[in-house]
Structure formats: structure tokens, C-alpha cells
Amino acid sequence: EDQVTQSPEALRLQEGESSSLNCSYTVSGLRGLFWYRQDPGKGPEFLFTLYSAGEEKEKERLKATLTKKESFLHITAPKPEDSATYLCAVEGDNYGQNFVFGPGTRLSVLP
Amino acid sequence: DTEVTQTPKHLVMGMTNKKSLKCEQHMGHRAMYWYKQKAKKPPELMFVYSYEKLSINESVPSRFSPECPNSSLLNLHLHALQPEDSALYLCASSREAASLMETQYFGPGTRLLVL
């Protein structure tokens, strides 16, 4: 069975304190790994798609990387507005039935 | 434009009511999705429509009935719901139907409360 786990469950950072979020996955034939940001009571906002091990993508203070077993979302010098829940999702060989979200990491950035 | 809109934003209904949730996108996407999200949990896939045809039904109870009138619209008809069905209902769309590695764009959701 395909599984996605994320760690830590919650993370509290001081403004400017860089850190990384982890997404570990077990899926048959990874087709894509997706990172989303979700604010309370709102829909997930797309951040990145990674397709193959070694791939990296950046957007402002965020950088996503992918290996064969996990992905990291690095946050450099975070600001309070980066506070949100960060979700990763994976899609495997069996499309749709294998689009699985991880439980998320709740990030709080304190001023 | 990567906007998916959902109405209503909030909905309160009794267990005997019939209501509908609406989702709309004008990005020319051919796949549309319904998700259910409980508090502090990730979204759970309910239905997938591909070229206006239901392609995935993740064992959702029949009190939820999806409908895709055209490629831009997706409805979720609700009937005889239970209090445990209270959740945030999210709609999403992606460019290609039955797509592989296609990014899904989410709407803001409808917050449903069943009394």
C-alpha cells in the first residue's frame, strides 16, 4: 500500500531560522511528488512538482529536493507569512487511486 | 489564470436536507476532483472526473452524488448526510484527464456542517 509520511508533525521557528521539512514515501512507480501550502480553512496552494530523484526546484525562500525515498522542503530565513501547513502528495503508477497526501507539517514562524 | 471557484463558502444543513456544492474552472482543464478534508487531516480523494466522465470513486457513500454537467463545472449533490460528514470539501482540477504527473489546482473549499 502506498504511504506518505511527513516530519515533523509541527515545527516552530523564529523568523530567520532556516530549517527543513521531510516527506518520506512508499509508492509503486513514483510519477510525481507535489508540495502544497495550506492556510487554515483554505484550499491547498500549489508550490512544486518533482518528477525524478536529484531534481530540485526553488521559489523565493523555499527549495524542494527529491531522492528515491524522500523529499525535503528547505525554508531559508522564514518570515511569519510562511506560517502554514505544508502538504506533500505523491502519484504512483495507478493514477488517481494513488494520489495520496501526507499528513502535513504545521509550520509556525514567530516574529 | 489558475483559479478554481467553489460555492457556497459555508453550508449548514440538517440530516434530511438536500443540497449541492458547486465547483467551476475556466482553465480548460479536463480532469476535476472532489476531496474531503477533516480538521488537521490531509485531503482525501473522493471522486475524479476525466473528460466529464466519472473515472474514480473512492468507495464514497451514495449520499454523495457527483455530477459533471460540462468540462468547466463539477457539482456534488448531498442527501441524508450524517454529522460525521461535516468537513471542508475541496474541488481541484488538472490540465489533462487521466493525467500523469499533472498538477492539481485547488479551490478554496466549502465548509460543511451537518446538524
Side-chain angles (χ1 to χ4, degrees), chain A residues 25-44:
Chain A
Y25 60 89
T26 305
V27 64
S28 61
L30 180 71
R31 294 188 179 277
L33 185 143
F34 306 82
W35 280 100
Y36 288 86
R37 168 200 169 121
Q38 186 173 27
D39 294 304
K42 296 186 178 181

Side-chain angles (χ1 to χ4, degrees), chain B residues 19-56:
Chain B
K19 297 287 184 182
S20 296
L21 310 184
K22 180 181 175 180
C23 173
E24 196 165 358
Q25 57 87 14
H26 295 288
M27 296 178 279
H29 289 180
R30 305 314 302 266
M32 297 185 77
Y33 313 77
W34 280 116
Y35 287 84
K36 174 182 178 179
Q37 187 176 26
K38 302 284 279 186
K40 297 188 177 181
K41 297 291 185 180
E44 295 179 359
L45 185 64
M46 300 173 71
F47 303 104
V48 180
Y49 270 82
S50 174
Y51 285 97
E52 301 157 45
K53 292 184 179 179
L54 184 64
S55 62
I56 302 284

Side-chain angles (χ1 to χ4, degrees), chain A residues 10-86:
Chain A
L11 180 63
R12 183 172 289 190
L13 299 173
Q14 288 295 134
E15 184 172 2
E17 180 186 1
S18 302
S19 188
S20 295
L21 314 182
N22 175 268
C23 172
S24 297
Y25 60 89
T26 305
V27 64
S28 61
L30 180 71
R31 294 188 179 277
L33 185 143
F34 306 82
W35 280 100
Y36 288 86
R37 168 200 169 121
Q38 186 173 27
D39 294 304
K42 296 186 178 181
E45 175 188 346
F46 170 71
L47 294 174
F48 303 108
T49 305
L50 301 168
Y51 298 115
S52 58
E55 189 174 1
E56 299 182 352
K57 288 191 177 176
E58 290 188 64
K59 180 181 179 180
E60 296 180 352
R61 296 179 291 281
L62 300 177
K63 179 181 179 180
T65 62
L66 180 65
T67 72
K68 289 185 177 181
K69 293 184 178 182
E70 58 191 350
S71 176
F72 292 94
L73 184 65
H74 308 278
I75 303 177
T76 302
K79 298 181 178 181
E81 53 263 40
D82 295 322
S83 298
T85 294
Y86 290 84

Side-chain angles (χ1 to χ4, degrees), chain A residues 31-32 34 36 38 40-46 49 51 87 91-93 95-99 101-104 106, chain B residues 31 33 35 37 40-43 45 48 56 58 88 90 94 96 98-109 111:
Chain A
R31 294 188 179 277
F34 306 82
Y36 288 86
Q38 186 173 27
K42 296 186 178 181
E45 175 188 346
F46 170 71
T49 305
Y51 298 115
L87 297 162
E91 183 176 313
D93 279 327
Y95 170 72
Q97 293 174 358
N98 281 2
F99 195 86
F101 275 93
R106 292 191 306 279
Chain B
Y33 313 77
Y35 287 84
Q37 187 176 26
K40 297 188 177 181
K41 297 291 185 180
L45 185 64
V48 180
I56 302 284
E58 292 285 8
L88 181 68
L90 294 163
S94 64
E96 286 296 330
S99 69
L100 304 177
M101 305 176 290
E102 286 289 341
T103 300
Q104 293 185 23
Y105 295 93
F106 284 82
R111 174 72 61 188

